[in-house]
Amino acid sequence: MVEKNRKILTCIVETIILCGKQNIALRGHTEESSNFKALLSFKAKDNSVLRQHLEEGDPRSKYLSPLIQNELVTICGEVISSEIVEACNKAGAFSLIADEASDASTMEQMSLCLRFVQDGTNMIREDFVGFAETESTTGESLANAFLENLRNMGVIVENMKGQGYDGASNMSGKTKGVQARVKTIIPESVYTHYKAHCLNLAIVHASKEAYPRNMMNIVQTIAFAFDYSAKRLLSFQSNLENDQVSREQMEKRKKLQTLCETRWAARADALYTFLSSFR
């Protein structure tokens, strides 16, 4: 019986992990039409033990309810984060990368990442270890929350040699910011402004000049013109099929890409696509 239950639970956990890896929602419009149950039923076609459990098992102990799904997701997350924390502690030194933002329910949420060198190798790891909620966004509140959550995860915070945040005053402030508060507790934790964020800010400011601003507006207008018209898009694809050079340069892309409003570094790909198809 123990062996049978382990096989059934293994199939359930593997299905949940598959949904997580593929970024597939567990639930659907109804519980019976959920992705989780559809994948589990498909898996049961070649697994007699699982099939018997789904068809004849006690409804009170099937381990398929949304509550059980959430518990298994939480357990999987704890196993993954504990492995990351163990590797981080073995490294002997790490940097904290963190940021805060409002989620869909307007709750302030912190994302925590650890950056360290894998013990015994030269591989740099940068791993996400979890979210944490906070009621305040002041430098003192966030700094205490960062350190408290790291300690609760088992991270040896005294090994922190660096900390990376964006340039907001509550994060980078010299006296009351998160970096200053953390540095009073861990003096060796050197603060570094996100390099990618600095690049993003530089591009934003450079694009305020007349020539790049006008160019971006024209590219965006043309992309919208093709994106919102089926006839124009069909004509674009037909001409692309007859142009071997442009088709190869666009690397199998079938349409122009609109420019991202926030991630300016991501606009490079959209501009490359536009330039490749421009005749």
Side-chain angles (χ1 to χ4, degrees):
M1 180 62 71
V2 171
E3 187 66 24
K4 176 185 176 182
N5 289 339
R6 283 178 176 172
K7 287 182 179 180
I8 293 169
L9 194 57
T10 298
C11 293
I12 293 173
V13 173
E14 286 177 347
T15 303
I16 289 177
I17 292 174
L18 174 64
C19 290
K21 285 183 175 180
Q22 297 300 115
N23 199 25
I24 300 173
L26 289 172
R27 261 86 79 181
H29 294 293
T30 63
E31 187 175 343
E32 293 303 320
S33 64
S34 66
N35 296 322
F36 169 70
K37 287 197 172 180
L39 288 171
L40 206 58
S41 298
F42 181 77
K43 194 180 185 73
K45 290 181 179 180
D46 300 321
N47 188 320
S48 58
V49 176
L50 179 61
R51 184 169 62 252
Q52 183 183 8
H53 174 73
L54 295 178
E55 294 175 353
E56 304 174 9
D58 187 343
R60 296 171 297 177
S61 58
K62 280 191 173 182
Y63 302 104
L64 303 178
S65 69
L67 180 62
I68 297 297
Q69 294 172 30
N70 290 342
E71 288 184 3
L72 290 174
V73 168
T74 301
I75 293 171
C76 290
E78 290 174 352
V79 171
I80 294 171
S81 63
S82 64
E83 291 179 354
I84 295 171
V85 169
E86 183 180 357
C88 178
N89 290 337
K90 280 186 178 180
F94 74 94
S95 291
L96 169 67
I97 303 176
D99 198 7
E100 55 84 20
S102 298
D103 63 9
S105 61
T106 65
M107 288 292 296
E108 286 294 332
Q109 201 174 53
M110 304 177 297
S111 61
L112 304 174
C113 297
L114 302 177
R115 181 180 173 89
F116 56 93
V117 178
Q118 179 77 40
D119 184 43
T121 68
N122 293 323
M123 183 179 70
I124 298 175
R125 291 181 55 176
E126 191 172 295
D127 295 324
F128 168 76
V129 289
F131 287 113
E133 291 184 353
T134 178
E135 296 179 354
S136 174
T137 58
T138 63
E140 182 179 8
S141 178
L142 288 174
N144 292 335
F146 287 161
L147 296 178
E148 181 182 354
N149 278 278
L150 290 178
R151 289 193 180 101
N152 291 338
M153 293 175 187
V155 178
I156 304 174
V157 295
E158 289 73 20
N159 290 343
M160 187 190 300
K161 305 301 181 185
Q163 45 179 325
Y165 319 115
D166 59 24
S169 58
N170 65 331
M171 306 297 284
S172 63
K174 293 182 179 180
T175 56
K176 296 184 179 181
V178 172
Q179 65 94 9
R181 301 279 185 179
V182 172
K183 204 163 186 178
T184 57
I185 301 172
I186 310 171
E188 295 180 346
S189 56
V190 179
Y191 165 66
T192 303
H193 189 173
Y194 291 147
K195 299 299 182 183
H197 189 259
C198 289
L199 172 62
N200 197 63
L201 292 176
I203 296 173
V204 168
H205 289 299
S207 296
K208 290 180 180 178
E209 296 295 324
Y211 287 121
R213 184 182 69 240
N214 294 341
M215 181 270 294
M216 292 284 187
N217 288 339
I218 293 171
V219 170
Q220 185 75 314
T221 302
I222 295 174
F224 280 148
F226 283 98
D227 196 39
Y228 294 118
S229 173
K231 292 181 179 179
R232 293 193 190 106
L233 182 59
L234 182 61
S235 177
F236 175 81
Q237 292 175 346
S238 298
N239 282 278
L240 189 63
E241 288 295 326
N242 298 327
D243 192 331
Q244 180 68 23
V245 177
S246 294
R247 188 168 67 252
E248 291 177 354
Q249 289 179 342
M250 287 187 67
E251 299 174 354
K252 298 182 179 180
R253 298 183 183 90
K254 299 293 185 181
K255 57 186 292 187
L256 296 176
Q257 295 176 313
T258 55
L259 303 180
C260 179
E261 294 296 332
T262 54
R263 300 290 179 183
W264 284 70
R267 293 191 172 200
D269 190 51
L271 293 174
Y272 173 82
T273 303
F274 182 89
L275 184 62
S276 298
S277 60
F278 183 74
R279 303 297 294 175

